Amino acid sequence: MKILKIDPVHIKSDFIRQAARVLRRGSLVVFPTETVYGIGADVFNEKAVAKIFIVKQRMADNPIIVHIAQMSDLKKLARNVLPQALLLAKHFWPGPLTLILSKKREVSQIVTGDNDTVAVRMPDHPVALALIKAVKSPIAAPSANLSGKPSATDVAHALSDFGDKIDVYIDSGPAKIGLESTVLDLTVNPPEILRPGAITKEILQKFLGRVVDNKNHPKNKIRSPGMKYRHYAPNARLVLVNGNPKIIVKKMQALLGKFKKEGKKVGIIASKETVAHCRQADSVVILSTRRNLKMAAHKLFRALRRFDDERMDIIISETFPERDIGKAIMNRLRKAATS
Ligand code: TXA
Ligand code: MG
């Protein structure tokens, strides 16, 4: 196992070439993107893609996002690419938006979990783009975490999940956004957000008109299979508290008192506004001020993983306003809390 440290500002091209060779020979590489770290395989090498499912312990029906570096790559993956897809690609790529499109026959069913659609995105990270270009093939890559765990926002998180089961890890420092891309299904009308992210419904509606949130399709076929599995979950039990800051403080204190009495180790995820009231806790992470949702998103998964390292029994987290990336934060927190 090898860790290649690549500064995104001064990219070492020999390291990129090394990692590209590893991917071309059918092994896996952990690499940075602007959202979270990915665990990549050459999309056209079925055996390599199958390895991803094994090391991640991922269910076979949960499809994988394919990462491209230039618009010409899209033709290798998707058919009937409609003008609205091109419009979004033009505005948001490279960036944290994944588009679900009709797939070409050449894209293996292993990648798409037997669906006839393919998820595509162009990551906004110079190292990821350089790597995909060097491989000369799009890279299939889910987030670089064991299934069910919080996504890796730093190479250390991927290392602790996979160790020497992966040949090469590229370390380019912490991921800028910290939450996974928005997943938008363009094969349905109106387009549907299968997973909220930094690019919100409000932003997408400016380009597409009506866009709907995922409705979970209780009876229909589950369209984003990833959504039905346990997700983002720390080992500790996660309890969410909502309300305005005053109410949050009250509820947190009550819960803290109760759990401490039970002899539990308690970690708290708080904001600058509420943190002063958490003295009884065993460990505290301040994400940001309640208004700085970008910073909160950036630090959320790191906080969940830190509490696992510290072996907390319970994590109490405050909730955040569901505007902008706040909706994605709350989506991940709720999933982590209910699993
Ligand atoms: O930001 C991200 O999207 C990161 C980085 C590495 O690019 N990737 C990521 O991949 O989060 P993953 O596998 O952890 O999540 C992909 C989500 C899953 O919920 C999966 O079910 C859904 O996208 N997905 C992938 N292909 C799909 C398809 N053809 N139809 C519906 N949903 C799909
Ligand atoms: Mg994931």
Side-chain angles (χ1 to χ4, degrees), residues 24-182:
R24 270 205 300 269
R25 69 158 198 251
S27 292
L28 306 182
V29 170
V30 165
F31 67 99
T33 83
E34 83 281 30
T35 55
V36 298
Y37 274 72
I39 176 169
D42 174 355
V43 71
F44 294 119
N45 182 334
E46 287 197 344
K47 274 195 189 149
V49 175
K51 284 184 195 164
I52 293 180
F53 287 88
I54 294 167
V55 294
K56 268 196 67 121
Q57 296 165 21
R58 184 181 179 99
M59 298 299 282
D61 67 352
N62 190 1
I64 295 180
I65 296 173
V66 186
H67 297 70
I68 61 173
Q70 54 224 339
M71 281 310 284
S72 56
D73 290 341
L74 192 55
K75 290 193 221 91
K76 302 176 187 165
L77 305 166
R79 63 185 164 83
N80 305 334
V81 178
L82 300 173
Q84 55 175 191
L86 294 175
L87 179 74
L88 292 177
K90 195 169 164 216
H91 273 88
F92 295 106
W93 285 356
L97 177 65
T98 295
L99 301 178
I100 308 289
L101 305 164
S102 300
K103 85 169 188 74
K104 277 215 163 144
R105 206 169 353 112
E106 289 78 0
V107 181
S108 162
Q109 300 284 113
I110 296 180
V111 175
T112 66
D114 253 349
N115 286 290
D116 53 10
T117 56
V118 60
V120 186
R121 93 174 183 100
M122 190 188 291
D124 187 15
H125 198 293
V127 173
L129 295 173
L131 182 64
I132 300 163
K133 281 185 186 154
V135 178
K136 296 196 178 74
S137 173
I139 297 180
S143 50
N145 52 279
L146 282 171
S147 275
K149 293 277 122 208
S151 296
T153 58
D154 222 316
V155 81
H157 304 154
L159 257 169
S160 96
D161 279 12
F162 303 121
D164 53 17
K165 289 193 184 119
I166 304 292
D167 290 347
V168 170
Y169 294 80
I170 298 178
D171 178 3
S172 296
K176 195 169 80 196
I177 296 177
L179 291 185
E180 309 84 349
S181 62
T182 304

Side-chain angles (χ1 to χ4, degrees), residues 12 63 239 262 323 339:
K12 284 192 191 123
V239 180
E262 293 170 5
R323 59 175 161 77
S339 46

